[in-house]
Amino acid sequence: MDEMDLRRELPMEAQLDLGQLRELDRLQTALVRMQGKMAQDGRRLVVLFEGRDTAGKGGAILRFLRYLDPRRARVVALPKPSERERGQWYFQRYIQHLPTTSEMVLFDRSWYTRAVVEPALGFCTEAELERFLVQAPRFEQMLQEDGIHLIKLWFSITKETQQQRLLERQSDPRKTWKLSPVDRLAQDAWDRFTVYKQQMFAQTSTPQSPWNIVLGEDKYRARTEAMRVVLEAMGHQEPGLRTTPDPQVVTRA
């Protein structure tokens, strides 16, 4: 595919050079082939996209989904729990969204809202947090024992980058919909987020279900290296394509 075709196919990537466009296209094509093999094998995949506000979760998800079959790949982005859901077991509202055979589900924030966002902003009690931190590894172990592949991504940025991106959202009418009341509290709650994030890593990053920390300062590298995390974890390889994540961008918690 020549440069004109690539730019027509990837209109959101006007800022990328030709080499970056080609690499992104190859990775997105690899995800399509991986999805095809998943359909043949009946595998199920859950990918959790977590991180601070403006860290790039949503943009990464858009690039993941660019060419995937929407019948076997979907995004789950849940609103705040209803009154009924608040009276249920915490994980209950997420269970109904888990994948069926040959399906991939991308969670744009997940059950880990309880680990960082809620305690940092005072939306849960310390007892609820402690119970979650004990139950989350058990819950994930049950998912994996049932054959679900689980990949956890945490997109990381600096406080200065977050401030800049929040200001861009405020000034760009195409991005104002992204601003939520929680986003507006992100800078003031930065240090509290850090404390709870570290606690989450310490208690829920296990050998069977590790946290992959993706540096999100460079959006292109964050997106492409996150794709490599998924391709490698699912054992998908293609000639001439690097599927091992760059250790300068992706580390394990």
Side-chain angles (χ1 to χ4, degrees), residues 69-191:
D69 182 350
R71 296 169 298 178
R72 296 197 298 267
R74 56 188 170 89
V75 179
V76 175
L78 300 183
K80 66 179 182 180
S82 65
E83 186 66 31
R84 178 178 177 80
E85 288 171 331
R86 284 196 289 270
Q88 297 173 343
W89 178 44
Y90 179 75
F91 294 94
Q92 191 168 335
R93 72 194 298 246
Y94 296 98
I95 290 173
Q96 61 185 316
H97 297 286
L98 293 173
T100 188
T101 301
S102 304
E103 190 178 31
M104 178 191 313
V105 176
L106 312 181
F107 278 88
D108 186 353
R109 293 206 183 278
S110 65
W111 46 89
Y112 279 100
T113 300
R114 172 59 51 93
V116 180
V117 176
E118 289 188 10
L121 300 180
F123 296 157
C124 73
T125 67
E126 284 297 315
E128 288 172 328
L129 171 61
E130 288 302 319
R131 183 161 60 249
F132 171 84
L133 292 173
V134 170
Q135 290 183 351
R138 298 175 183 172
F139 175 65
E140 292 166 10
Q141 182 180 355
M142 287 190 292
L143 298 183
Q144 292 172 315
E145 288 174 350
D146 199 61
I148 293 177
H149 296 269
L150 176 64
I151 301 170
K152 301 190 297 195
L153 302 172
W154 176 274
F155 288 78
S156 179
I157 53 173
T158 64
K159 187 175 183 179
E160 293 71 26
T161 296
Q162 185 187 67
Q163 182 181 43
Q164 177 186 347
R165 291 180 183 178
L166 286 170
L167 291 173
E168 289 173 359
R169 289 184 179 184
Q170 292 173 5
S171 60
D172 188 339
R174 297 166 300 177
K175 297 181 179 181
T176 52
W177 64 271
K178 294 183 177 183
L179 278 173
S180 70
V182 172
D183 292 329
R184 299 180 193 279
L185 297 172
Q187 285 277 289
D188 291 339
W190 181 273
D191 291 337

